[in-house]
């Protein structure tokens, strides 16, 4: 028998991995039965989350809670991580496959139909206000928690070997938002660049629609855009149907990939991150309440979206579900839902660009013995808001936000002091992403309410 064929190619070289995969498929079968019995999507997602966590804990226990180096030597444990990672990656790949054409079609559709809902200038100004305002509040939350709990004063960091992303300047970020090559922008998932390009396509279409020579052809173009958008939403619905299956693998893989030793060492930062996430949910509730919207209805309907954001660690991958939920369950107009949710994947990320870099700044300041006064705190908040303009909503993007923050406050040469935090980044990133998506949804709802583009009957229904 060719052992290398099973161990290196199939990654099925031990009886334990066969038992694990059998267990996984039994869980998939249970989820399928829940769907057949018309159990709600939110309930299936919650079941998947709990089962995935339980599976990860059990496998860690059976492997005797190995360190990162020890885990590689345990064949079945390493193969389990491989298969959980595979199923997770396949699902996210399908979602991300839809994101670029979905964003392009929905933004063009928004612009060419904008007269039915709101003015473009109003949509831009109001949505950016809520997005950036919520980010400023997130930075204040992160800053306050880190200062109150003296984050970093009792931590000894190992330099580590993890690669740190290149520190970017504000001007380079803003310059990169302009799509000099739209194909390249699409391949790099530069969402803001795609939004800008689609925005200009929509504006150009609206202008030629008023010219007699293009009147008939514009009608055909408009119908094409609407049809393509409908097709993309239909495809999105099919892929989202498989989300609970992916969540099981995602949650199990997080626990297998991040040993308990690393989690214990960075425990305070992890705890404060999750406290910040909960506090930001509270902030979002207050913002909604200030606009006359019931926060309890919001959390009930948004729960599946936030749960997937938490599991997938990707604002971009959550976008299709975000848009459909805003439109179908909350009654947000197509223009506001598509526009705000799309730019909310890269701008004003409450977690990645808000409380996380603020906490990182305090951590580094305390490690260096730098006093945190009012002017220093104000600078942290301003850098967080400005840096949020160009952060890509994909897993791990907060390291770029942290680099912008440290560079902005003069600590750019000390980024390696965050190595311990980066070692448990996937665990922290789950909370950050849930906050990002909740912030985008809240901004969309507040924008729709301000622009009278919200169907209250659907929201309350």
């Amino acid at each position: 028998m060719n052992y290398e064929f099973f161990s290196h190619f199939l990654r099925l070289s031990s009886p334990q991995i066969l038992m694990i995969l059998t267990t996984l498929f039994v869980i998939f079968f249970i989820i399928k039965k829940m769907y057949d019995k018309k159990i709600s999507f939110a309930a299936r997602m919650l079941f998947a989350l709990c089962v995935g966590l339980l599976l990860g804990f059990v496998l860690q226990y059976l492997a005797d809670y190995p360190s990162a180096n020890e885990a590689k030597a345990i064949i079945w444990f390493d193969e389990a991580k491989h298969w959980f990672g595979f199923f997770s990656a396949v699902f996210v790949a399908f979602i991300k496959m839809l994101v670029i054409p979905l964003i392009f079609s929905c933004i063009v559709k928004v612009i060419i139909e904008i007269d039915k809902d709101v003015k473009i200038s109003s949509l831009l100004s109001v949505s950016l206000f809520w997005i950036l305002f919520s980010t400023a509040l997130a930075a204040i939350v992160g800053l306050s928690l880190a200062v109150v709990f003296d984050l970093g004063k009792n931590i000894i960091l190992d330099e580590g070997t993890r690669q740190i992303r290149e520190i970017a300047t504000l001007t380079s970020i803003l310059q990169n938002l302009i799509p000099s090559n739209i194909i390249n922008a699409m391949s790099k998932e530069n969402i803001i660049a795609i939004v800008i390009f689609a925005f200009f396509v929509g504006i150009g279409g609206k202008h030629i629609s008023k010219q007699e020579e293009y009147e008939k052809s514009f009608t055909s173009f408009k119908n094409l855009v609407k049809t393509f958008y409908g097709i993309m939403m239909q495809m999105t619905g099919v892929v989202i149907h498989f989300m609970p299956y992916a969540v099981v693998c995602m949650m199990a893989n997080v626990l297998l990939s991040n040993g308990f030793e690393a989690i214990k060492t960075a425990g305070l930062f992890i705890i404060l991150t999750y406290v910040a996430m909960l506090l930001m949910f509270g902030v979002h509730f207050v913002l909604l309440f200030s606009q006359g919207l019931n926060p309890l209805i919001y959390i009930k309907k948004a729960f599946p979206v936030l749960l997937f954001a938490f599991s997938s660690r990707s604002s971009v991958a959550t976008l299709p579900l975000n848009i459909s939920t805003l439109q179908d369950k909350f009654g947000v107009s197509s223009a506001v839902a598509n526009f705000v949710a799309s730019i909310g994947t890269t701008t004003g990320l409450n977690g990645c660009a808000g409380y996380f870099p603020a906490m990182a700044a305090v951590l580094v300041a305390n490690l260096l013995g730098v006093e945190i006064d009012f002017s220093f705190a104000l600078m942290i908040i301003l850098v967080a808001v400005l840096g949020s303009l160009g952060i890509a909503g994909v897993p791990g993007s907060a390291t770029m936000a942290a680099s912008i923050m440290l560079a902005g406050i003069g600590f750019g040469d000390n980024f390696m002091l965050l190595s311990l935090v980066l070692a448990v980044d996937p665990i922290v990133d789950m909370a950050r992403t849930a906050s990002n998506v909740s912030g985008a949804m809240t901004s969309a709802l507040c924008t729709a309410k301000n622009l009278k583009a919200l169907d209250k009957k659907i929201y309350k229904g």
Side-chain angles (χ1 to χ4, degrees):
M1 181 180 294
N2 189 341
Y3 177 76
E4 290 191 357
F5 175 75
F6 288 95
S7 63
H8 297 299
F9 181 70
L10 293 181
R11 303 302 301 271
L12 296 170
S13 61
S14 61
Q16 291 96 327
I17 189 60
L18 296 178
M19 290 295 297
I20 292 171
L21 289 179
T22 300
T23 302
L24 182 63
F25 287 123
V26 168
I27 294 172
F28 287 172
F29 178 77
I30 294 173
I31 294 175
K32 173 64 168 58
K33 285 297 182 181
M34 292 175 69
Y35 173 77
D36 292 340
K37 293 182 178 180
K38 301 187 183 303
I39 295 177
S40 70
F41 183 74
R44 282 180 281 138
M45 289 285 285
L46 183 60
F47 171 80
L49 174 69
C50 296
V51 171
L53 287 172
L54 177 62
L55 184 59
F57 275 116
V58 169
L59 295 181
Q60 278 278 4
Y61 170 77
L62 294 176
D64 198 22
Y65 308 104
S67 64
N69 291 330
E70 293 171 342
K72 295 179 181 178
I74 304 175
I75 296 176
W76 67 265
F77 193 86
D78 188 57
E79 290 179 342
K81 287 198 297 182
H82 169 80
W83 281 103
F84 288 139
F86 167 74
F87 287 123
S88 302
V90 167
F91 179 79
V92 172
F94 271 110
I95 285 286
K96 294 175 74 173
M97 172 188 73
L98 302 173
V99 166
I100 301 302
L102 178 61
I103 289 177
F104 180 79
S105 61
C106 75
I107 295 299
V108 174
K109 179 176 178 289
V110 163
I111 301 303
I112 61 179
E113 296 181 342
I114 199 73
D115 289 338
K116 295 181 179 179
D117 297 306
V118 293
K119 295 180 179 180
I120 296 176
S121 58
S122 300
L123 179 60
L124 278 172
S125 59
V126 175
S127 61
L128 284 177
F129 166 78
W130 285 110
I131 287 172
L132 298 181
F133 178 61
S134 63
T135 303
L137 295 177
I140 293 172
V141 167
L143 176 67
S144 302
L145 284 173
V147 170
V148 169
F149 288 92
D150 292 327
L151 184 62
K153 286 192 175 180
N154 299 314
I155 296 179
I156 299 177
L157 288 177
D158 180 12
E159 288 292 310
T161 58
R162 182 168 177 141
Q163 183 178 0
I164 306 300
R165 295 192 181 189
E166 180 183 357
I167 296 175
T169 63
L170 175 62
T171 53
S172 66
I173 291 173
L174 295 177
Q175 183 178 343
N176 289 334
L177 297 181
I178 309 301
S180 58
N181 184 328
I182 189 59
I183 303 301
N184 188 45
M186 289 181 176
S187 67
K188 293 182 178 180
E189 296 181 334
N190 187 340
I191 304 299
I192 289 293
I194 296 166
V195 169
I196 291 174
F197 179 74
F199 186 86
F200 276 99
V201 171
I203 291 293
K206 284 184 70 67
H207 278 297
I208 68 168
S209 68
K210 301 174 183 178
Q211 301 176 22
E212 187 176 349
E213 59 183 306
Y214 292 112
E215 187 174 350
K216 291 184 179 179
S217 57
F218 175 76
T219 301
S220 300
F221 171 73
K222 184 177 180 179
N223 290 335
L224 175 63
V225 171
K226 292 176 64 176
T227 302
F228 183 68
Y229 172 77
I231 292 172
M232 294 309 305
M233 290 303 294
Q234 180 65 32
M235 293 172 63
T236 298
V238 173
V239 175
I240 287 175
H241 167 73
F242 294 96
M243 194 179 297
Y245 303 92
V247 167
V248 175
C249 299
M250 289 175 181
M251 297 311 301
N253 193 44
V254 165
L255 289 178
L256 296 188
S257 300
N258 300 272
F260 288 101
E261 181 180 341
I263 296 173
K264 181 180 178 181
T265 306
L268 179 60
F269 196 97
I270 294 173
I271 291 171
L272 291 183
T273 300
Y274 278 81
V275 171
M277 176 190 71
L278 295 176
L279 289 177
M280 282 312 300
F281 286 158
V283 170
H284 297 155
F285 294 167
V286 172
L287 293 178
L288 291 171
F289 186 76
S290 71
Q291 300 302 306
L293 300 175
N294 189 332
L296 297 180
I297 294 177
Y298 166 76
I299 193 61
K300 179 181 178 181
K301 294 185 177 182
F303 179 75
V305 184
L306 301 180
L307 183 55
F308 179 67
F310 182 85
S311 305
S312 67
R313 299 168 37 228
S314 175
S315 300
V316 170
T318 312
L319 180 60
L321 181 60
N322 191 349
I323 292 174
S324 61
T325 301
L326 285 171
Q327 291 184 193
D328 301 336
K329 293 187 178 181
F330 288 118
V332 177
S333 72
S334 175
V336 175
N338 285 288
F339 186 79
V340 181
S342 295
I343 63 173
T345 61
T346 55
T347 302
L349 304 181
N350 288 186
C352 289
Y355 59 73
F356 174 75
M359 291 169 61
V362 174
L363 171 65
V364 173
N366 283 334
L367 289 171
L368 297 175
V370 176
E371 182 183 357
I372 303 173
D373 55 16
F374 178 77
S375 61
F376 186 78
L378 182 60
M379 183 166 58
I380 288 175
I381 297 169
L382 290 175
V383 173
V385 173
L386 293 175
S388 73
L389 293 172
I391 305 303
V394 294
S397 65
T399 54
M400 180 60 75
S403 73
I404 294 170
M405 172 61 74
L406 295 187
I409 61 177
F411 292 163
D413 294 335
N414 302 105
F415 203 108
M416 288 303 294
L417 293 176
L418 292 179
S419 58
L420 177 61
V421 173
L422 297 179
V424 292
D425 188 71
I427 296 173
V428 174
D429 200 31
M430 293 190 294
R432 290 190 310 237
T433 308
S435 301
N436 296 342
V437 174
S438 181
M441 296 186 79
T442 301
S443 297
L445 286 165
C446 291
T447 300
K449 183 65 166 55
N450 292 163
L451 300 178
K452 298 180 180 178
L454 178 70
D455 190 326
K456 294 183 179 180
K457 291 183 178 179
I458 296 178
Y459 185 90
K460 296 178 180 179

